[in-house]
Amino acid sequence: MPFPFKVLMHQDISGSMLILWILCINIAGLYACPRPDHFNVTDYGAVSSITVDSSQAFLNAWNSICNSEVDNPTLLVPEWRTFLLNPTVFSGPCKPKRINVEIHGELLAPPLPSAWAKHDPGQWLAFKEVSGLRVYGNGRINGQGFGWWNQSCKYHPGMAGCIKLAPTAIKFLKCNETSLTGIHFINSSQTHVTLLGCDEFHIDSLSIEAPGNSPNTDGIHLQHAHNVIITNTMIGTGDDCISIGDYTSNIDIVNITCGPGHGVSIGSLGKGGSYVQVQNIHVKDVYFKGTTNGARIKTWQEGRGFVRGVIYENLFFNSVRNPLVIDQNYGTRNGTVKAKNGVHVSDVAYRNFYGTSASNVAINLNCSESVACTSLRLDSIVLWPDYRLKEVTSYCSNAYGVSMGVIQPPPCLNHTSFG
Ligand SMILES: *[C@@H]1O[C@H](CO)[C@@H](O)[C@H](O)[C@H]1NC(C)=O
Ligand SMILES: *[C@@H]1O[C@H](CO)[C@@H](O)[C@H](O)[C@H]1NC(C)=O
Ligand SMILES: *[C@@H]1O[C@H](CO)[C@@H](O)[C@H](O)[C@H]1NC(C)=O
Ligand SMILES: *[C@@H]1O[C@H](CO)[C@@H](O)[C@H](O)[C@H]1NC(C)=O
Ligand SMILES: *[C@@H]1O[C@H](CO)[C@@H](O)[C@H](O)[C@H]1NC(C)=O
Ligand SMILES: *[C@@H]1O[C@H](CO)[C@@H](O)[C@H](O)[C@H]1NC(C)=O
Ligand SMILES: *[C@@H]1O[C@H](CO)[C@@H](O)[C@H](O)[C@H]1NC(C)=O
């Protein structure tokens, strides 16, 4: 053993990890050394196992980090390990202004719903009231959703005790200045990533993957979220790749691959007559492959409020059933309900759309009878029928605005100065 180590070991070094660390770097190089600002979950008792629950160990590590005096500390999930975690909430506020969660290993959800008996079935992992959080790494977050999917009401409507609400893999609740980078999400039992009550959030370079027929497995869902950037992400799931909910603004979505899935959707909004405020949504450079929708806005007929200032641009479609769709009659298919309300959709631009449609109605602007869509702008659109079809058409109802360079299908917007 080198000399300085020996010296240290004869001293009382409890609490002076830092000294050890500094010496350690000088002697042995970084790798063999514990870092005082790194909180390795294995040091808190987490064990690599697909059956032993490590959630208490993770919570203990989180509590240490959250109460630590260290600047910019890192909770570390080491590589080549799998940790089974029961439903867990990592709560703030925390002492450090910035906290890192570095995930290289795999986090595994319990395979059966029974593990949620004493927990909120709406979530598996959650960060609550934490600000300045950075979650990153090349690790996996695996929801093992099958045990929920096979009992979902969506696919087994007649089944006694079928499940409507299943856990979101990771929720960020009330947060500021947060980022989520690089992580691979797999098979969540329902939505993969939800932001609720967050301001300034950057999502980058994720992959999100679940079977195309898994029920309600949205990729990313935003609700009460402002100033969000989502970039360079691949999403293929059984529901919306990205869904934008009520009370959202300043959302930038760039360079996304979406499919299988239900598209990049604004909505569904205004369920139960709720008041909607959605504005400044910019969706750019998205490749949709085999999705049911591309650029979709869907609102419940009874909703109120507005969606305005939306730009969808540079979208590429490969056999997409509804490349461009506004559906303001969501939830009232049978037409017996005629609500007086309606969410006002206005100032929405669609430009540079290319590719193939898997249904005849490639452009479908089905707006509210009571509150029409206004200031829509369609610009440079060419959509071909895919190999199964002969032609594509467009449908407009209560849809006002201008079309320029809409080559195919023929444009149908109503050119009125209405609104
Ligand atoms: C975390 O702990 C594990 C198990 O002790 C170890 O193999 C790994 O190298 C540690 N990681 C770091 C960065 O200290
Ligand atoms: C986020 O910022 C807002 C406004 O400054 C503040 O009221 C709120 O407490 C912050 N939330 C957290 C979790 O720090
Ligand atoms: C659903 O899958 C789980 C896990 O494979 C299994 O234990 C359960 O019996 C299945 N339930 C139904 C209703 O098929
Ligand atoms: C996701 O779930 C599906 C269906 O159960 C399964 O076939 C697939 O292997 C799972 N993916 C991973 C990475 O475990
Ligand atoms: C777009 O995102 C993919 C990952 O999905 C990445 O490989 C690619 O480099 C990104 N393109 C640009 C121009 O950043
Ligand atoms: C428009 O919405 C109405 C009411 O839900 C529906 O009956 C009709 O089929 C829709 N039209 C198209 C072309 O989707
Ligand atoms: C039509 O929808 C309304 C509201 O969802 C429902 O109350 C009514 O029973 C439905 N009618 C039929 C004939 O399905």
Side-chain angles (χ1 to χ4, degrees):
M1 181 175 289
F3 169 70
F5 264 119
K6 216 168 183 176
V7 171
L8 264 179
M9 289 174 74
H10 287 287
Q11 295 172 353
D12 177 11
I13 56 161
S14 59
S16 20
M17 288 271 281
L18 188 60
I19 295 170
L20 176 60
W21 182 52
I22 291 165
L23 282 175
C24 190
I25 289 182
N26 293 339
I27 308 150
L30 195 56
Y31 291 110
C33 302
R35 292 185 52 180
D37 59 349
H38 274 51
F39 296 67
N40 192 330
V41 293
T42 60
D43 295 339
Y44 290 81
V47 289
S48 185
S49 162
I50 62 166
T51 51
V52 180
D53 169 35
S54 284
S55 55
Q56 193 54 51
F58 272 64
L59 271 179
N60 293 346
W62 175 259
N63 289 335
S64 296
I65 218 167
C66 186
N67 294 306
S68 116
E69 304 289 347
V70 180
D71 264 356
N72 204 15
T74 301
L75 183 134
L76 186 73
V77 179
E79 59 189 345
W80 309 118
R81 287 173 170 75
T82 295
F83 300 102
L84 179 78
L85 298 182
N86 276 334
T88 308
V89 180
F90 301 100
S91 296
C94 295
K95 276 187 191 159
K97 285 208 174 64
R98 312 217 146 266
I99 291 183
N100 307 299
V101 173
E102 189 173 323
I103 302 174
H104 294 298
E106 177 170 28
L107 306 183
L108 211 56
L112 295 177
S114 51
W116 273 261
K118 293 185 187 130
H119 298 274
D120 178 354
Q123 64 199 42
W124 170 32
L125 305 174
F127 289 96
K128 188 174 171 191
E129 289 179 55
V130 184
S131 281
L133 179 69
R134 301 197 312 143
V135 179
Y136 60 91
N138 57 14
R140 304 217 298 187
I141 295 187
N142 185 344
Q144 301 207 90
F146 183 77
W148 295 87
W149 303 337
N150 68 353
Q151 302 179 52
S152 80
C153 298
K154 189 155 184 185
Y155 292 119
H156 308 277
M159 192 166 110
C162 70
I163 291 169
K164 275 196 177 131
L165 177 66
T168 292
I170 193 165
K171 276 188 185 171
F172 294 87
L173 306 166
K174 296 190 182 161
C175 64
N176 297 328
E177 295 178 50
T178 308
S179 66
L180 174 63
T181 312
I183 308 288
H184 306 284
F185 287 86
I186 298 155
N187 286 349
S188 177
S189 38
Q190 217 162 71
T191 300
H192 287 78
V193 178
T194 290
L195 315 190
L196 182 59
C198 287
D199 193 6
E200 295 191 41
F201 204 115
H202 191 172
I203 291 179
D204 183 55
S205 302
L206 304 185
S207 71
I208 302 179
E209 195 184 334
N213 64 357
S214 54
N216 302 111
T217 50
D218 296 58
I220 301 170
H221 178 65
L222 312 178
Q223 185 101 6
H224 287 256
H226 308 282
N227 305 306
V228 178
I229 301 174
I230 303 176
T231 47
N232 309 326
T233 286
M234 293 176 65
I235 306 173
T237 67
D239 208 314
D240 292 326
C241 290
I242 300 175
S243 62
I244 296 169
D246 299 353
Y247 294 99
T248 41
S249 67
N250 303 334
I251 313 294
D252 260 300
I253 297 172
V254 186
N255 187 24
I256 307 293
T257 302
C258 171
H262 295 184
V264 174
S265 297
I266 297 178
S268 53
L269 304 171
K271 189 174 184 179
S274 65
Y275 191 83
V276 171
Q277 280 176 284
V278 174
Q279 60 188 334
N280 298 337
I281 313 292
H282 193 174
V283 180
K284 186 177 160 180
D285 303 340
V286 183
Y287 174 48
F288 295 95
K289 43 178 184 181
T291 52
T292 53
N293 307 286
R296 170 163 69 162
I297 298 176
K298 59 173 171 172
T299 72
W300 291 74
Q301 208 175 50
E302 70 269 22
R304 297 168 303 133
F306 58 82
V307 174
R308 65 189 179 207
V310 179
I311 302 172
Y312 278 106
E313 68 182 333
N314 308 346
L315 307 192
F316 299 86
F317 304 92
N318 185 344
S319 276
V320 171
R321 205 178 310 153
N322 306 296
L324 193 171
V325 56
I326 297 179
D327 178 1
Q328 293 213 268
N329 300 297
Y330 194 67
T332 46
R333 284 277 158 256
N334 65 24
T336 57
V337 175
K338 288 272 180 271
K340 283 203 197 80
N341 297 330
V343 175
H344 184 197
V345 174
S346 67
D347 192 13
V348 181
Y350 301 92
R351 58 177 172 254
N352 299 336
F353 281 33
Y354 296 99
T356 55
S357 173
S359 84
N360 291 114
V361 188
I363 296 179
N364 187 346
L365 301 168
N366 203 345
C367 293
S368 163
E369 250 178 56
S370 24
V371 187
C373 298
T374 57
S375 301
L376 304 181
R377 191 183 171 92
L378 272 62
D379 184 354
S380 305
I381 293 183
V382 191
L383 296 166
W384 296 273
D386 80 358
Y387 65 95
R388 285 166 288 210
L389 303 170
K390 284 212 174 71
E391 55 165 18
V392 287
T393 59
S394 41
Y395 172 82
C396 291
S397 175
N398 308 302
Y400 296 86
V402 293
S403 305
M404 291 180 311
V406 178
I407 314 291
Q408 189 176 258
C412 62
L413 280 177
N414 218 317
H415 297 246
T416 305
S417 56
F418 185 111

